[in-house]
Amino acid sequence: MTRANSEKIFSKAQKLIPGGVNSPVRAFRSVGGSPLFIARGEGSRIFDVDGNQYIDYVGSWGPLLLGHRHPAIIEALRETLETGTSFGAPTTREVEMAEAISSAVPSIEMVRLVNSGTEATMSALRVARGFTGRDLIVKFEGCYHGHVDSLLVKAGSGVATLGLPDSPGVPKSFSDTTLALPFNSTDALEQAFRQRGDQIAAVIVEPVVGNMGCVPPAPGFLQMLRDITARHGSLLILDEVMTGFRVAFGGAQQLYGIRPDLTTLGKVIGGGLPIGAYGGRADIMNRVAPAGPIYQAGTLSGNPLAVAAGLAMLLYLKSHPQIYAQLEARSAALCAAAPRGTTVNRVGSMFTIFFTDQPVTDWESAKKSDTARFADFHRTMLDAGIYLPPSQFEAAFVSAAHSEEDIRTTARCFQGFSAS
Ligand code: KE4
């Protein structure tokens, strides 16, 4: 299997783009070797510029719940292209999209579309601070909510992958307004609220963490977040950029029966095009400009192409609910084949194989994983035609396009790898 073309393009890319990539985690830094340059995708497959094909378990980091180039999404894009690409003015489809999101996620009484998950979480924080008049935000170590200045504190995903202490460029005054606590720890949270509860604007959490690798909430943890924020007049923000429409049609809040004040979305709701969204209680969202004074804006927010792809995705999922049972069954079968000596965390079709034989319940336990062995595993799978996220601290994704044969093929490769 040659990757000469990828390597050649990568060496040029590094002269023009920082690290040769437009997002750090794509650079394969923690698994070694050069990133593959992808020529095209189809269903569960991606094809690199050297003509190699792979079963894809990254799925663009979550958006491609239906796999690459699903006909419903491609058709919606083709049809929309006939009418234009962007108007900077409202369109009917944006109202249909708002309706589709709100009907799927009842806690989202009103919603604003933006262009990325980062914009969604950044805006949700501002709204929470504006609504409560408070400054402090609570987040959890290993959770990643996009590259928002005040949330790049003990963050997961690429920050954890690259072992960055946090990021230069974030003023101390910003990070001073962020309390980063251990995920799944109630003691630390209760202490923070005892000491500073009346200053805490919101708690933001990935209800199922994907960004330290997949880490589910401990039983009762999310309910405890809901109770303690309500008791102190703070808001609960569920960052469902990854879990929204992924772990259930109604997201993790449907799965765990939690009603947050605000939710952030992205990835799946764009069907592979750039999008984000934040929404929640109408009394909060009506404080957002121009209805209220809290400002947030975006030239391409509600872009017709992104909305067309996203709406096609949501309508398809709504009319094919059996997809979630299929995702559950095939993901479970795949994870049952994980190499011996590893710990697998999975919720629905998002999972991580941790190279540790200990439970992984938070960042402290996740970072004990043997990242060198993970790198061996990643390389071995790549050579076998299996494309996994190039980081121990990321979630992998099964899509509706992954066939039973794909799962069997991948399972055989997993089983053939010795984790000892
Ligand atoms: P974006 O700004 O990358 O669209 O979304 C930020 C974000 C917010 N919240 C959660 C829970 C997220 O997972 C993300 C982004 N996820 C990463 C993958 N772990 C994106 C991949 C990347 O950074 O290239």
Side-chain angles (χ1 to χ4, degrees):
M1 180 183 279
T2 172
R3 297 184 181 129
N5 288 338
S6 276
E7 285 157 9
K8 191 166 148 224
I9 299 167
F10 186 50
S11 62
K12 180 177 180 185
Q14 290 178 91
K15 300 184 180 75
L16 293 161
I17 305 168
V21 291
N22 280 314
S23 198
V25 76
R26 301 177 189 172
F28 275 40
R29 284 282 173 102
S30 71
V31 294
S34 310
L36 304 181
F37 280 68
I38 303 305
R40 66 185 182 89
E42 193 67 48
S44 63
R45 293 294 198 285
I46 50 173
F47 302 80
D48 68 18
V49 294
D50 291 283
N52 305 307
Q53 80 169 272
Y54 305 85
I55 304 175
D56 178 17
Y57 290 98
V58 177
S60 181
W61 300 97
L64 301 182
L65 189 66
L66 296 178
H68 293 272
R69 297 189 71 250
H70 188 280
I73 293 176
I74 299 301
E75 184 45 37
L77 286 169
R78 280 209 179 93
E79 177 198 303
T80 305
L81 276 174
E82 296 306 311
T83 65
T85 56
S86 182
F87 311 114
T91 60
T92 311
R93 275 259 179 83
E94 289 165 75
V95 183
E96 291 167 12
M97 182 72 170
E99 196 168 26
I101 291 172
S102 182
S103 63
V105 189
S107 73
I108 301 181
E109 297 169 351
M110 297 185 81
V111 62
R112 169 65 61 84
L113 296 181
V114 294
N115 299 286
S116 70
T118 295
E119 265 194 82
T121 58
M122 173 178 70
S123 308
L125 287 201
R126 184 178 312 130
V127 171
R129 287 175 161 140
F131 181 77
T132 62
R134 300 176 180 180
D135 290 342
L136 288 192
I137 295 290
V138 170
K139 77 174 290 279
F140 297 93
E141 291 167 8
C143 285
Y144 174 73
H145 303 287
H147 61 93
V148 186
D149 275 346
S150 59
L151 292 179
L152 280 181
V153 176
K154 294 188 174 63
S157 186
V159 181
T161 301
L162 300 177
L164 298 174
D166 288 318
S167 172
V170 178
K172 189 171 175 313
S173 58
F174 282 38
S175 44
D176 284 351
T177 59
T178 307
L179 300 176
L181 304 177
F183 183 69
N184 277 334
S185 160
T186 51
D187 296 347
L189 197 79
E190 280 165 350
Q191 185 184 358
F193 270 92
R194 252 195 319 276
Q195 291 168 351
R196 309 179 71 177
D198 59 353
Q199 302 162 44
I200 296 174
V203 170
I204 185 168
V205 66
E206 294 182 59
V208 175
V209 185
N211 289 295
M212 54 175 116
C214 179
V215 177
F221 181 65
L222 295 178
Q223 187 55 54
M224 185 266 189
L225 293 184
R226 176 63 289 176
D227 297 342
I228 201 165
T229 46
R231 260 202 323 276
H232 287 81
S234 308
L235 302 185
L236 177 60
I237 304 173
L238 290 190
D239 178 358
E240 296 225 44
V241 167
M242 190 181 287
T243 55
F245 296 92
R246 160 74 53 188
V247 298
F249 188 63
Q253 56 194 273
Q254 174 190 316
L255 206 56
Y256 295 100
I258 298 289
R259 190 178 178 96
D261 301 298
L262 292 173
T263 299
T264 54
L265 296 169
K267 296 182 191 278
V268 171
I269 68 164
L273 270 71
I275 203 166
Y278 66 98
R281 285 169 33 195
D283 64 319
I284 298 175
M285 293 301 289
N286 270 318
R287 305 287 290 278
V288 177
I294 304 171
Y295 198 70
Q296 179 272 312
T299 302
L300 293 171
S301 296
N303 171 267
L305 291 172
V307 169
L311 190 55
M313 168 71 84
L314 300 193
L315 295 177
Y316 189 89
L317 292 173
K318 185 171 186 171
S319 56
H320 297 76
Q322 71 280 11
I323 278 181
Y324 291 97
Q326 174 189 311
L327 290 170
E328 176 60 30
R330 293 186 185 173
S331 305
L334 178 61
C335 290
R340 284 186 319 284
T342 62
T343 292
V344 180
N345 284 352
R346 178 182 70 82
V347 177
S349 57
M350 60 187 273
F351 70 93
T352 297
I353 298 172
F354 290 97
F355 278 71
T356 171
D357 56 7
Q358 297 303 306
V360 177
T361 58
D362 58 13
W363 174 235
E364 281 309 309
S365 47
K367 71 182 183 183
K368 288 180 182 149
S369 303
D370 183 340
T371 51
R373 289 300 287 144
F374 175 83
D376 289 346
F377 177 61
H378 183 272
R379 250 190 316 277
T380 307
M381 292 303 110
L382 208 55
D383 292 342
I386 311 290
Y387 189 77
L388 294 172
S391 163
Q392 172 67 97
F393 307 118
E394 291 287 357
F397 302 98
V398 178
S399 82
H402 285 85
S403 66
E404 289 186 339
E405 184 50 36
D406 288 334
I407 301 298
R408 278 194 294 273
T409 301
T410 310
R412 275 196 303 275
C413 294
F414 280 9
Q415 280 293 296
F417 184 82
S418 155
S420 53

